[in-house]
């Protein structure tokens, strides 16, 4: 019976857990009350099925819709070792939300994704497999390769995204197909080093991260993803963000 016990323990402990790999998922939220229960349920489901160790770090920026109270309820359901709450008092921007979250991550890998269900957790096992396959420093979800795509955006939004990617490709030639997407997996020490060098704070942060990664010679793997526009709530990407993206791009172009 001892032998039976040992073999069943071995079966439930996969290789990644034996190596001690742990994945910290950063979920920045601003007014995501309706989306948070579902995204967390899906994360727990896909991580549970794949057997990888994980934690979810919710970084709420004082959402007026009560997102933090919903997150507290979810923490009671799933446990404090799975759901970590690292809120901030007010809306301080997406870039700094990630930086704040990384400081609390206990995993050796960090996954960054949106909380509004535009990024489906079903892709995460593919990110992890891809990373292991090539030992990549970062794995980037791409909407612009293979069977990746965008669903539900109007023409204006598609043009903004394509335009931002095209301009960046032309000016900086970073050699990755999706520069503005934010669904990515990083080795934690790589992410920390990249963050130290990044000057931008808003949405342009994603682009700067992958450009800097290439400059520093980090290896980048890509996984095609489908990005589905949110059903609940609204995008926080406004005219200001577009202006600051172009400014950030030109700054990078001038300084690198
Ligand atoms: N904590 C915090 N603070 N979270 C924020 C903030 C903020 O200031 N602004 C946005 N968020 C959260 C949202 O709640 C959501 O979970 C995620 O960040 C993405 O915000 P959205 O407003 O849904 O972004 P989007 O759908 O317009 O933009 C997506 O596509 C862009 C272009 O491809 C994001 O993936 C962007 O990162 C990406 O650049
Ligand atoms: Mn969104």
């Amino acid at each position: 019976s001892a032998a039976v016990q040992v073999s069943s323990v071995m079966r439930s402990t996969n290789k990644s857990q034996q190596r001690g790999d742990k994945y910290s998922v950063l979920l920045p939220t601003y007014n995501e009350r309706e989306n948070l229960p579902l995204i967390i349920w899906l994360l727990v489901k896909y991580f549970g099925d794949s057997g990888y160790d994980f934690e979810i770090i919710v970084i709420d920026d004082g959402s007026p819709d009560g997102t933090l109270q919903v997150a507290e309820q979810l923490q009671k359901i799933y446990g404090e070792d799975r759901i970590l709450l690292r809120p901030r008092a007010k809306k301080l921007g997406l870039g700094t939300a990630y930086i704040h979250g990384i400081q609390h991550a206990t995993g050796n890998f960090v996954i960054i994704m949106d909380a509004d269900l535009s990024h489906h957790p079903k892709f995460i096992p593919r990110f992890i497999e891809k990373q292991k396959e090539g030992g990549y420093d970062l794995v980037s979800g791409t909407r612009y390769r293979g069977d990746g795509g965008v669903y539900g955006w109007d023409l204006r939004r598609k043009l903004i995204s394509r335009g931002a990617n095209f301009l960046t490709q032309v000016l900086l030639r970073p050699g990755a197909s999706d520069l503005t997407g934010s669904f990515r997996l990083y080795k934690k020490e790589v992410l920390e080093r990249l963050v130290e060098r990044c000057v931008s704070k808003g949405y342009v942060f994603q682009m700067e991260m992958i450009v800097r990664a290439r400059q520093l010679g980090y290896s980048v793997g890509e996984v095609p993803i489908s990005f589905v526009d949110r059903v609940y709530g609204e995008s926080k990407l406004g005219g200001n963000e577009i202006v600051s993206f172009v400014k950030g791009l030109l700054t990078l172009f001038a300084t690198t």
Side-chain angles (χ1 to χ4, degrees):
S1 89
V4 170
Q5 256 173 13
V6 167
S7 76
S8 76
V9 166
M10 300 230 330
R11 246 182 290 122
S12 64
T13 314
N14 71 30
K15 280 195 192 110
S16 143
Q17 279 174 334
Q18 286 164 21
R19 270 201 297 271
D21 286 339
K22 182 174 180 181
Y23 297 86
S24 300
V25 180
L26 303 188
L27 280 186
T29 58
Y30 191 75
N31 288 344
E32 302 292 359
R33 182 182 60 190
E34 293 104 330
N35 292 314
L36 199 59
L38 208 54
I39 185 86
I40 288 188
W41 185 85
L42 286 165
L43 281 165
V44 171
K45 171 180 152 54
Y46 283 95
F47 270 107
D49 290 352
S50 61
Y52 296 114
D53 193 14
F54 73 101
E55 66 186 4
I56 301 167
I57 304 179
V58 180
I59 306 121
D60 186 64
D61 270 4
S63 297
D65 77 343
T67 301
L68 184 58
Q69 287 68 47
V70 171
E72 284 163 356
Q73 295 299 313
L74 293 164
Q75 189 184 41
K76 283 187 193 133
I77 296 170
Y78 296 106
E80 289 182 10
D81 52 333
R82 290 293 189 214
I83 315 284
L84 283 67
L85 308 180
R86 297 293 179 265
R88 304 189 297 176
K90 60 175 180 141
K91 192 170 188 301
L92 296 172
L94 200 46
T96 62
Y98 296 133
I99 295 169
H100 178 73
I102 295 160
Q103 288 159 3
H104 301 281
T106 68
N108 54 331
F109 289 99
V110 176
I111 293 164
I112 287 180
M113 65 192 295
D114 295 346
D116 60 355
L117 298 169
S118 286
H119 296 153
H120 200 294
K122 72 181 177 193
F123 293 109
I124 289 177
R126 295 185 210 168
F127 279 61
I128 294 175
E129 282 154 30
K130 186 79 190 173
Q131 193 285 323
K132 290 187 181 304
E133 218 176 274
Y136 294 107
D137 295 311
L138 88 88
V139 175
S140 174
T142 176
R143 297 160 293 180
Y144 302 128
R145 250 192 66 189
D147 42 8
V150 170
Y151 301 88
W153 270 358
D154 58 14
L155 185 64
R156 174 181 170 274
R157 192 62 212 264
K158 281 183 185 159
L159 286 174
I160 292 171
S161 179
R162 285 286 190 176
N165 271 281
F166 178 74
L167 266 181
T168 311
Q169 296 286 4
V170 169
L171 292 179
L172 303 173
R173 310 200 164 276
S177 59
D178 192 340
L179 309 170
T180 53
S182 56
F183 197 0
R184 295 183 187 152
L185 178 155
Y186 296 84
K187 288 181 181 166
K188 189 166 76 183
E189 75 267 16
V190 169
L191 183 57
E192 285 168 340
R193 227 163 292 151
L194 288 173
V195 158
E196 271 170 29
R197 290 173 187 253
C198 279
V199 290
S200 47
K201 297 279 170 283
Y203 280 65
V204 61
F205 180 86
Q206 315 296 352
M207 182 273 279
E208 184 175 1
M209 290 285 279
I210 203 153
V211 167
R212 298 237 180 250
R214 283 303 200 191
Q215 283 170 358
L216 294 170
Y218 288 124
S219 57
V220 179
E222 293 194 311
V223 169
I225 57 152
S226 39
F227 179 104
V228 182
D229 196 24
R230 60 164 75 238
V231 173
Y232 296 110
E234 39 191 60
S235 164
K236 285 93 204 170
L237 185 95
N240 287 344
E241 292 288 352
I242 297 168
V243 172
S244 70
F245 183 92
V246 174
K247 278 190 194 157
L249 175 62
L250 293 175
T251 309
L252 274 172
F253 179 62
T255 58
T256 58

